Amino acid sequence: MATPGEQTVKDAHVGKKKKPPARYWQDDVEQTEQGLQHRGEKPQGKRKRKHEEHHTNEKNFISGKLDPFPGPAPVPEDRVQKFKRKEKTKKPPREHYKLRDIIIRSEEASEMAQKQAARFDLLLPEDAGFLEGDEDEDTCTISQEDIADAVDITSGAKYFNLKLSQFGPYRVDYSKTGRHLLLGGRRGHVACIDWQSKQLMCEINVMESVNDVKWLHSETMYAVAQKKWLYIYDSNGIELHCIRKFNDVLRMQFLPYHFLLATASATSFLQYLDVSVGKEVAAICTKTGRLDVMCQNPHNAIIHLGHPNGTVTLWSPNQKEALVKMLCHQGGVRSVTVDRTGIYMVTSGMDKKLKVYDIRAFKPLKSYFLPAGASSLSLSQRGLLSAATGDIVQVYRDVWSTPVTKPYMAHRVQGTVWGLHFCPFEDVLGVGHGEGFSSMLVPGAGEPNFDGLDANPYRSAKQRQEWEVKALLEKIQPELISLDPSELGQVDHATFQQRHQDRVQALGFDPLAEEKFVPKYKKKGRSSAGGVERRKRQVAHEDQRDVIRETVEDKMKVEKERKEKEKKKAALSGQTSALDRFKR
Amino acid sequence: MAKISKKKVSKKSLKKSTKAPDKVTAVVYDDEEDLNEADDNITSEEEDEEDDGGDERKRQKLLEAISALGGKRKKKLGERSEAAVHMSEFTVNAEGEGDKIDLAELIGTIEETPAVPARTKKQLKSLQQSKRTIECPLSKQESERIQRDVAFQKASAEASRWKGIIGQNQRAEQLIFPLNQEPSGPKPMERVVTGWKAQTPLELEVFALLSANKQPINDPILTPAEEASLKAMSLEEAKIRRAELQKARALQSYYEAKARRERKIKSKKFHKVQNKGKRKELIKQFEEMVKADPAAALEELNKIEMARMQERMSLKHQNSGKWAKSKAIMAKYDEGARKAMQQQLEVNKELTQKLVTSLNNEEEKEKEETGEAEVIPDFANDAEQGLDSSNPWMRGKLSEDLTDKEIMIVDLTAEEATANTAEKEEDEEKAEEVEETEQETLLREFDSRRKLRQAEEAKTGPEICVDDEVESKDEAEVLDASDKEEEELSKFTSLFRGLTDRHCDAENEQAEAAAVGSHMDAQLEEGLMRIRTLEDVELLIHKGSATDEAPAQPQLPPTTETLPSATLKEGKNRKRKRGIQLEEILTKETKVIQVQLTPTVEDTEDSNEKLDQRGLIKEAFAGDDVISDFLKDKRKQEEAGKPKVDELTLPGWGEWGGMGLKPSRNKRRRFRVKTAPAPPRKDQHLPSVIISEKRNSSISLHQVNSLPFPFENHAQFESTIRSPLGRTWNTERTVKKVTKPKVVTQLGAIIEPMAREELIKDKKQVSVGNKSSVDLGKRNY
């Protein structure tokens, strides 16, 4: 009882020949050990071991203290729900043991993944806030200056105006990390700025009208849709490419995970450029006239186009016709935008209405009437909607869940708003207008937590390079773009014929087709037209003949068997009538 | 034929079988004769030793002659086989040569010799009696085969010992080779601690102190007190406990059996009596409980109330079933039927009667006073009624159904009054109640009609703006109705007061109501098909105006009459303007947003004037042709999607052909190839959407196109690949688990084949595990 620890130690060291070096207390220890050995009863030792097992199971501490919070830390149910991926299937009543193993294992893994993700969600430290007015004070009456004064100096510095009245209304684009700003003036002025440090990276005038500007996958390259062609510049303002295949481009969208630059042109062409290999992936003639309304669905990389006849069409590079065509407005569509989760689409039209759609079900959710109509829309990462009406920029909160009667924020800029873009991971809305650019503070707009491996606003050049390589390796092929991104995980139900058809289409010829018989040319006049025909006739319908021959043979066989059977039967019956002799 | 032959065969076999015993007996006789003969021979031999062979020859001749007379010639082999003293010249014949040796002959000598043990004699005797012949030894091949079989069985048994472990390894998620590796990495704390021993004098001292105080030193040890507590349950106790449990289980099973038996009894009377008894007992218990434990009694009361509610809600005992209907027909002529119906009503009454207890006596007294004076629904008791929040129908303003309440009050009054009058009164009340409900429906019907008319007016009215389309307006009105209904409620109560006065008027209205009711029924039947799709649309609209509705909703009286009528009405509308559904959906109810700042600069989005002009024109004629164009487009797409009918008719075959002659319809029909109708379009229920039905063939190249082996359906497979594996979506640990290699080997280590010891160890482990689990189970007691 006294030192059972020694006992176990003894067990552990059974068979060990090496002895520890002798110490000054050694003889004492020896003695005690001896004594213990004499005293140690075997059954007790056994019992001890059992105890040990029991206790390790219950995770007791050495001191014998009980864990006040046994088991793993609980994860809140709603957070677990957030990471859920589809339902698990019902277990079939009687399954193959292999199937059972597979199902159990996969369920286990996905459950673990879900739980772990939920647990690690704790590590996202930042929280989003919102602007709150005093009682009976509208948040939309709070001016930007007030906000800038109230917030800390770094955030306050994010409210600024650039006075660029010379080169006319500006289009705006933020890079994916939200660190860099690209401005494209209508009259040819293109500038890229590290807007947080207000450092000008480059500034050029392309001496042509600029329709749209867009960052490519990183802040080293950007595309400019100029009067005639599409150009690609690097961050120093050096022209890298002039892409003549893409002409009269009006709007552009960049699909970051596919490395695709989608362009919509005045000639009603929707074109896709793979910027990783510089190849045109698809060129689709939409046959719907001038395309100057465009946006992408970040969830499934589908391009949405708005048309003057009030329809919005959805496109993928894999199909020459629109995936979906929905009638949204009675007038033309002026602007379209889709939220980050790919659930909601917001459109504004000539009929001065603003509509919210559930883009998964293609059903309208909300409809608002804006007295002046919205010329351009933009959705932030956290679902704030900014709408530009004339020279006023309005920001709305929760347009889809609760009917909104007044904007969350409003701000007047100098000229007509021409481009709107929320900055990712920042509470900033960039507004390009006739008199330049203004960056306004919109509390609660940006996602507070960024994924360091995906879009890291604070990354160094080295990290960017690493990221670029990884992103290129993980590039998603354009064939995988479809309305339902989970379609890849489904089993193809197509029939063999359909698949064969697809194959023929992909290959350009039918691999299973039999080649036609061409008679050999014979010399010395033996290849006369009649002779050739005769030779052809010899092999004509060869396959059919085979089939016919086989079927005839089969039939004969069956007939023969039947007859034999009958004969046997007759013989067995043995009752022959007198008239049987006349039988044939 | 076959049968006949079989019969023959069987007959033959029968004959054979009949013959066989004869033969046997004959053989036996023969043997006996032979025996006698043999005996004779022996004796004659002994006697005629000195006689010459002449006699012998004669005798032989004579025997032959006799046998020849018998017809069958006995063929005897003339063969020299044995040396004998007397040899005939012509035929050499040994004595008893053709005869069989009988066991009995041999045994005869044994009987006499005393050296043979009795047991052997017995055995021999039994052997003698049994007629079975001894089988000859097996051939070499056969014996070898048997040996092989046995050897195989042994080997397979040996091999099959590995089967379990092989299966286990095959199914294992991960195998690590070589086996029996020492687990690397950090050891658990406990193991490290137990491996450590006190060495320094200080440590020893500490341990001595601990041990002296009987404190646990290492992890696995419990304090003596704890051990004692663990030991507290002895074997006897456990046994007793087990016995108790057994008994309880047995009792339960008896009880269950009894209940089952009773439930199977079909006698209605029995059940009636039983139920009544139960109810009485319950009430009795309840009374007792009221005295003993008021809180529990209150709960019980609630329960009873709940049951009463359920009874009231259900159609049981309401004389509305099939049986009741048939009885109602018969009631005119049949006294019994009438009585039965009456009885059922009584049952209903009884079940729906409110329980009177001391708990709510005071309230009732109050009620009585009011109830006696005038039949008015008092809203004063709202709070009391809202007590059971489980009933959603009881919340809100009109929570207590007026009629219900009244009945309740009346019931109470009736109880106070004498029995015979009470019944009459109740009947009256019941009639009144029916009329009330009818009047209610009538009122609501009128109301809804009025609304409908308004809506129609609104539709035709020129002043409606483009935004507010009819449907939404209707909808809004319906929603308004909820607010209105509250007003109406007050109206209704006043109306209700005057109800008794208008009793006679009601009769007329009743007829009307019935007519309306029938009309409604007809509507119902019409609208039945469409309601479902409508609901979907409505849901959205509801969402659209959720804020307006949200506060109103709880107050909305859940009258079952209005809701169906509303939907019905909608259904009607929908039906009428089916052609312009699209517009309805396009022009949803819109919210006007007020903005403090008004734009000073007008939109100059389209810089070039031409476009602006066009835009202006477009705006001016907005909605003119957009919708019809879209509809046309959609129809075209639908048409294109339909499978084409192939006509393979060749003109001139089987009939005259030529200019102006068309093949007959009959013929065309004969050669028409019918194709299966296309599956329903995805945008079937979305009028403002065209979804392309084209197959996305590019993704199908990457999809799995046939179900892998163990899976039985697509859903199973899809669910197993539903969660991603990569680092982008998962935590590191998950990724490691998910991408675990199937086999792990240590670099440079020799992988020995599995030894037999492994097998034994495995078994041991299993047994140990079982034991430990048992132990744990014991602990848990």
Side-chain angles (χ1 to χ4, degrees), chain B residues 377-383 397-398 400 402 405 489 493:
Chain B
D378 49 348
F379 295 102
N381 293 347
D382 265 11
K397 259 270 167 81
L398 230 190
E400 339 69 303
L402 298 175
K405 191 116 194 194
L489 203 139
T493 46

PDB file of all heavy atoms in Angstrom, chain B residues 377-383 397-398 400 402 405 489 493:
ATOM      1  N   PRO B 377     -69.890  37.298 -23.450  1.00  0.00           N
ATOM      2  CA  PRO B 377     -68.510  36.849 -23.277  1.00  0.00           C
ATOM      3  C   PRO B 377     -67.731  37.899 -22.517  1.00  0.00           C
ATOM      4  O   PRO B 377     -67.596  39.042 -22.972  1.00  0.00           O
ATOM      5  CB  PRO B 377     -67.991  36.742 -24.713  1.00  0.00           C
ATOM      6  CG  PRO B 377     -68.852  37.674 -25.486  1.00  0.00           C
ATOM      7  CD  PRO B 377     -70.176  37.723 -24.800  1.00  0.00           C
ATOM      8  N   ASP B 378     -67.253  37.587 -21.365  1.00  0.00           N
ATOM      9  CA  ASP B 378     -66.510  38.603 -20.610  1.00  0.00           C
ATOM     10  C   ASP B 378     -65.034  38.480 -20.938  1.00  0.00           C
ATOM     11  O   ASP B 378     -64.427  37.432 -20.774  1.00  0.00           O
ATOM     12  CB  ASP B 378     -66.758  38.473 -19.115  1.00  0.00           C
ATOM     13  CG  ASP B 378     -66.599  37.083 -18.610  1.00  0.00           C
ATOM     14  OD1 ASP B 378     -66.516  36.147 -19.457  1.00  0.00           O
ATOM     15  OD2 ASP B 378     -66.527  36.889 -17.416  1.00  0.00           O
ATOM     16  N   PHE B 379     -64.503  39.545 -21.406  1.00  0.00           N
ATOM     17  CA  PHE B 379     -63.089  39.562 -21.745  1.00  0.00           C
ATOM     18  C   PHE B 379     -62.231  39.806 -20.517  1.00  0.00           C
ATOM     19  O   PHE B 379     -61.028  39.876 -20.595  1.00  0.00           O
ATOM     20  CB  PHE B 379     -62.810  40.667 -22.780  1.00  0.00           C
ATOM     21  CG  PHE B 379     -63.484  40.398 -24.080  1.00  0.00           C
ATOM     22  CD1 PHE B 379     -64.642  41.065 -24.399  1.00  0.00           C
ATOM     23  CD2 PHE B 379     -62.986  39.445 -24.955  1.00  0.00           C
ATOM     24  CE1 PHE B 379     -65.262  40.813 -25.602  1.00  0.00           C
ATOM     25  CE2 PHE B 379     -63.622  39.205 -26.133  1.00  0.00           C
ATOM     26  CZ  PHE B 379     -64.765  39.875 -26.477  1.00  0.00           C
ATOM     27  N   ALA B 380     -62.902  40.004 -19.409  1.00  0.00           N
ATOM     28  CA  ALA B 380     -62.180  40.310 -18.178  1.00  0.00           C
ATOM     29  C   ALA B 380     -61.249  39.174 -17.771  1.00  0.00           C
ATOM     30  O   ALA B 380     -60.210  39.399 -17.182  1.00  0.00           O
ATOM     31  CB  ALA B 380     -63.159  40.593 -17.061  1.00  0.00           C
ATOM     32  N   ASN B 381     -61.661  37.965 -18.111  1.00  0.00           N
ATOM     33  CA  ASN B 381     -60.883  36.816 -17.641  1.00  0.00           C
ATOM     34  C   ASN B 381     -59.779  36.441 -18.596  1.00  0.00           C
ATOM     35  O   ASN B 381     -59.263  35.343 -18.541  1.00  0.00           O
ATOM     36  CB  ASN B 381     -61.816  35.626 -17.444  1.00  0.00           C
ATOM     37  CG  ASN B 381     -62.765  35.880 -16.327  1.00  0.00           C
ATOM     38  OD1 ASN B 381     -62.572  36.821 -15.573  1.00  0.00           O
ATOM     39  ND2 ASN B 381     -63.782  35.064 -16.231  1.00  0.00           N
ATOM     40  N   ASP B 382     -59.442  37.327 -19.450  1.00  0.00           N
ATOM     41  CA  ASP B 382     -58.442  37.022 -20.488  1.00  0.00           C
ATOM     42  C   ASP B 382     -57.187  36.425 -19.918  1.00  0.00           C
ATOM     43  O   ASP B 382     -56.725  35.398 -20.370  1.00  0.00           O
ATOM     44  CB  ASP B 382     -58.072  38.299 -21.243  1.00  0.00           C
ATOM     45  CG  ASP B 382     -58.925  38.401 -22.481  1.00  0.00           C
ATOM     46  OD1 ASP B 382     -59.889  37.604 -22.585  1.00  0.00           O
ATOM     47  OD2 ASP B 382     -58.622  39.231 -23.323  1.00  0.00           O
ATOM     48  N   ALA B 383     -56.670  37.144 -18.936  1.00  0.00           N
ATOM     49  CA  ALA B 383     -55.370  36.739 -18.410  1.00  0.00           C
ATOM     50  C   ALA B 383     -55.437  35.324 -17.853  1.00  0.00           C
ATOM     51  O   ALA B 383     -54.543  34.521 -18.065  1.00  0.00           O
ATOM     52  CB  ALA B 383     -54.944  37.690 -17.304  1.00  0.00           C
ATOM     53  N   LYS B 397     -56.250  38.630 -28.924  1.00  0.00           N
ATOM     54  CA  LYS B 397     -57.428  39.341 -28.465  1.00  0.00           C
ATOM     55  C   LYS B 397     -58.656  38.442 -28.416  1.00  0.00           C
ATOM     56  O   LYS B 397     -59.349  38.327 -27.428  1.00  0.00           O
ATOM     57  CB  LYS B 397     -57.681  40.532 -29.395  1.00  0.00           C
ATOM     58  CG  LYS B 397     -57.175  41.837 -28.768  1.00  0.00           C
ATOM     59  CD  LYS B 397     -58.260  42.473 -27.949  1.00  0.00           C
ATOM     60  CE  LYS B 397     -57.746  43.587 -27.065  1.00  0.00           C
ATOM     61  NZ  LYS B 397     -57.569  44.839 -27.763  1.00  0.00           N
ATOM     62  N   LEU B 398     -58.875  37.832 -29.551  1.00  0.00           N
ATOM     63  CA  LEU B 398     -60.104  37.041 -29.633  1.00  0.00           C
ATOM     64  C   LEU B 398     -59.846  35.655 -29.093  1.00  0.00           C
ATOM     65  O   LEU B 398     -60.442  34.690 -29.522  1.00  0.00           O
ATOM     66  CB  LEU B 398     -60.528  36.942 -31.101  1.00  0.00           C
ATOM     67  CG  LEU B 398     -61.988  37.293 -31.429  1.00  0.00           C
ATOM     68  CD1 LEU B 398     -62.275  36.900 -32.861  1.00  0.00           C
ATOM     69  CD2 LEU B 398     -62.956  36.642 -30.496  1.00  0.00           C
ATOM     70  N   GLU B 400     -60.253  33.691 -26.509  1.00  0.00           N
ATOM     71  CA  GLU B 400     -61.290  32.734 -26.118  1.00  0.00           C
ATOM     72  C   GLU B 400     -62.395  32.822 -27.150  1.00  0.00           C
ATOM     73  O   GLU B 400     -62.965  33.877 -27.364  1.00  0.00           O
ATOM     74  CB  GLU B 400     -61.884  33.038 -24.741  1.00  0.00           C
ATOM     75  CG  GLU B 400     -61.062  33.882 -23.838  1.00  0.00           C
ATOM     76  CD  GLU B 400     -60.951  35.308 -24.310  1.00  0.00           C
ATOM     77  OE1 GLU B 400     -60.497  35.519 -25.423  1.00  0.00           O
ATOM     78  OE2 GLU B 400     -61.331  36.201 -23.602  1.00  0.00           O
ATOM     79  N   LEU B 402     -65.603  33.024 -28.613  1.00  0.00           N
ATOM     80  CA  LEU B 402     -66.796  33.512 -27.925  1.00  0.00           C
ATOM     81  C   LEU B 402     -67.736  32.368 -27.603  1.00  0.00           C
ATOM     82  O   LEU B 402     -68.208  32.210 -26.486  1.00  0.00           O
ATOM     83  CB  LEU B 402     -67.510  34.501 -28.818  1.00  0.00           C
ATOM     84  CG  LEU B 402     -66.678  35.758 -29.157  1.00  0.00           C
ATOM     85  CD1 LEU B 402     -67.448  36.598 -30.131  1.00  0.00           C
ATOM     86  CD2 LEU B 402     -66.355  36.522 -27.907  1.00  0.00           C
ATOM     87  N   LYS B 405     -66.667  30.025 -24.845  1.00  0.00           N
ATOM     88  CA  LYS B 405     -66.788  30.599 -23.517  1.00  0.00           C
ATOM     89  C   LYS B 405     -68.223  30.509 -23.036  1.00  0.00           C
ATOM     90  O   LYS B 405     -68.508  30.131 -21.920  1.00  0.00           O
ATOM     91  CB  LYS B 405     -66.362  32.057 -23.595  1.00  0.00           C
ATOM     92  CG  LYS B 405     -66.194  32.652 -22.272  1.00  0.00           C
ATOM     93  CD  LYS B 405     -64.763  33.011 -22.120  1.00  0.00           C
ATOM     94  CE  LYS B 405     -64.484  33.291 -20.673  1.00  0.00           C
ATOM     95  NZ  LYS B 405     -63.227  33.952 -20.532  1.00  0.00           N
ATOM     96  N   LEU B 489     -64.461  43.057 -34.472  1.00  0.00           N
ATOM     97  CA  LEU B 489     -64.674  42.253 -33.288  1.00  0.00           C
ATOM     98  C   LEU B 489     -65.581  42.989 -32.298  1.00  0.00           C
ATOM     99  O   LEU B 489     -66.527  42.418 -31.768  1.00  0.00           O
ATOM    100  CB  LEU B 489     -63.332  41.975 -32.644  1.00  0.00           C
ATOM    101  CG  LEU B 489     -63.283  40.762 -31.767  1.00  0.00           C
ATOM    102  CD1 LEU B 489     -61.968  40.058 -32.031  1.00  0.00           C
ATOM    103  CD2 LEU B 489     -63.425  41.121 -30.337  1.00  0.00           C
ATOM    104  N   THR B 493     -69.210  41.937 -31.103  1.00  0.00           N
ATOM    105  CA  THR B 493     -69.716  41.675 -29.757  1.00  0.00           C
ATOM    106  C   THR B 493     -71.059  42.367 -29.547  1.00  0.00           C
ATOM    107  O   THR B 493     -71.990  41.792 -28.959  1.00  0.00           O
ATOM    108  CB  THR B 493     -68.725  42.167 -28.702  1.00  0.00           C
ATOM    109  OG1 THR B 493     -68.301  43.469 -29.074  1.00  0.00           O
ATOM    110  CG2 THR B 493     -67.541  41.248 -28.588  1.00  0.00           C
TER     111      THR B 493
END
